[in-house]
Amino acid sequence: MTYMPKNIKTILFDADGVLQHSAVSWSTAFGRLLPAAEEAEHFMTSFLEVERAFLTRDAGLRSALQPVLDRFGIPQAMDEVLAVTCRINVVADAIEMLQDLRRRGFQCCLASNQSPVRATFMSSQLEFARHFDTQYYSCFLGVMKPDRTYFELILGKLAEPADQVAFIDDKAENVNAAIACGMRGLQYHLDSGPEALRAGVENLIRNDG
């Protein structure tokens, strides 16, 4: 007997590279804050090293970053530095598609690796709390993609069979991890345009993806 997947009920969307992108080059913006602009790349490397640790932690980012700011001569620039990471452009067509899917009865959830500062900004200032039925940020789950546990935790919270859940991400390793957990998967990058996203989602829904 041929196995046919069950109908998709929930669609998980990644954020960066799928629904949104940075409005500025972090390196360029950091360079404007530093006494020596040529240190921007070194600063960004140090910043990202600290931030990565907080993709799975929900508090303490500011305290951990302070020594980095001190070392680069901008001890009072915490708010400005973090504001750079929150300068985000959201793809309006993608959000419109989300709302259409929800009107059609699909549950749409965010599934994104984020630091607590960025997650909070996205949820409130970008109104993702309104756009999505539920948000699953790595910093609040305590584990990040592509760790299998990330997807298993979400499935547990959804209380749905994995084959009723679809996952969309711009990174192949994340999509493959979701598929390994039994979900349907789609790799998509916003550079392909909103019509490609719509077509990919419709294929998943029809079980043709």
Side-chain angles (χ1 to χ4, degrees), residues 24-41 43-44 47 65 68-87:
V24 296
S25 160
W26 287 14
S27 178
T28 300
F30 288 153
R32 296 191 182 105
L33 298 173
L34 295 168
E38 62 271 17
E39 291 292 313
E41 289 296 335
F43 176 82
M44 187 164 73
F47 173 87
L65 275 176
V68 175
L69 272 60
D70 293 344
R71 188 165 73 250
F72 281 87
I74 50 172
Q76 306 300 322
M78 182 68 70
D79 289 341
E80 291 87 344
V81 166
L82 293 177
V84 168
T85 70
C86 293
R87 293 177 65 181

Side-chain angles (χ1 to χ4, degrees), residues 42-121:
H42 292 138
F43 176 82
M44 187 164 73
T45 297
S46 298
F47 173 87
L48 291 176
E49 182 178 349
V50 173
E51 188 202 38
R52 181 173 178 79
F54 287 87
L55 296 179
T56 55
R57 297 168 61 183
D58 63 3
L61 176 58
R62 285 175 173 265
S63 296
L65 275 176
Q66 191 59 57
V68 175
L69 272 60
D70 293 344
R71 188 165 73 250
F72 281 87
I74 50 172
Q76 306 300 322
M78 182 68 70
D79 289 341
E80 291 87 344
V81 166
L82 293 177
V84 168
T85 70
C86 293
R87 293 177 65 181
I88 299 168
N89 285 337
V90 178
V91 180
D93 286 341
I95 299 301
E96 181 180 332
M97 183 198 67
L98 285 174
Q99 303 315 312
D100 178 59
L101 288 168
R102 294 178 72 189
R103 285 190 293 269
R104 290 164 60 188
F106 294 97
Q107 179 174 216
C108 294
C109 304
L110 188 72
S112 184
N113 289 344
Q114 299 292 340
S115 71
V117 169
R118 219 163 179 257
T120 300
F121 179 86

Side-chain angles (χ1 to χ4, degrees), residues 5 39 63 83 91 107 147 154 165 176 203:
E39 291 292 313
S63 296
V91 180
Q107 179 174 216
D147 192 315
I154 291 177
V165 180
N176 291 337
N203 280 338

Side-chain angles (χ1 to χ4, degrees), residues 2 7 14 20 24 26 31 37 78 90 92 136 138 148 182 185 204 208:
T2 302
N7 292 334
D14 177 39
Q20 66 184 35
V24 296
W26 287 14
M78 182 68 70
V90 178
Y136 298 110
S138 60
R148 183 187 181 100
L204 289 174
D208 293 333

